[in-house]
Amino acid sequence: MALTAFTSRLGRGQGRLLTPTATGGDYAFVLGDAEPGRFFELAPGDHAEVTQSTDLTGVMLVRALLRLSVPASTPSGLAWEASITVDGTKLARMRAKPGRRRLVTDLAANVSKLSGLHTIGVRLELVAA
């Protein structure tokens, strides 16, 4: 596997990590890097995503609880977008501009019209602001 900005520190600052700030358990999934001050060359469209297949029969909403910290050094004109995807399509999204830290408790995708097995994802993507 080629190492990228999103995979170079798996298990140490990226990926599934033991963390005291995790909600509902002892682990969190870090799509960027848990350690501030780590910089990489990225371009709009670069992203990291974690997905899981699940049965959505009878489910109304898919929600995500996120902590999003955007470095102040992010170039102007760019922002980080967190989204919930279903089968690769973004159904809910929010953006944060450089220098922002947000606890996102209201990101939810309406899946009430879906049933059966679908792939749910949480994506972090660098986008034009």
Side-chain angles (χ1 to χ4, degrees), residues 18-107:
L18 181 62
T19 174
T21 61
T23 58
D26 295 327
Y27 292 87
F29 198 88
V30 178
L31 293 176
D33 199 304
E35 183 180 325
R38 300 200 58 88
F39 297 100
F40 296 93
E41 296 268 338
L42 299 173
D46 286 348
H47 68 276
E49 183 173 18
V50 59
T51 63
Q52 176 178 326
S53 293
T54 191
D55 185 355
L56 295 179
T57 304
V59 176
M60 302 300 279
L61 294 172
V62 173
R63 301 178 69 103
L65 173 63
L66 311 166
R67 293 182 196 277
L68 184 60
S69 299
V70 180
S73 60
T74 301
S76 65
L78 296 176
W80 282 101
E81 179 179 88
S83 60
I84 295 175
T85 63
V86 177
D87 298 328
T89 301
K90 293 179 186 177
L91 294 188
R93 67 182 86 193
M94 58 78 54
R95 289 184 179 183
K97 294 183 179 179
R100 295 279 314 253
R101 294 187 120 192
R102 292 183 62 181
L103 173 62
V104 182
T105 60
D106 58 352
L107 190 61

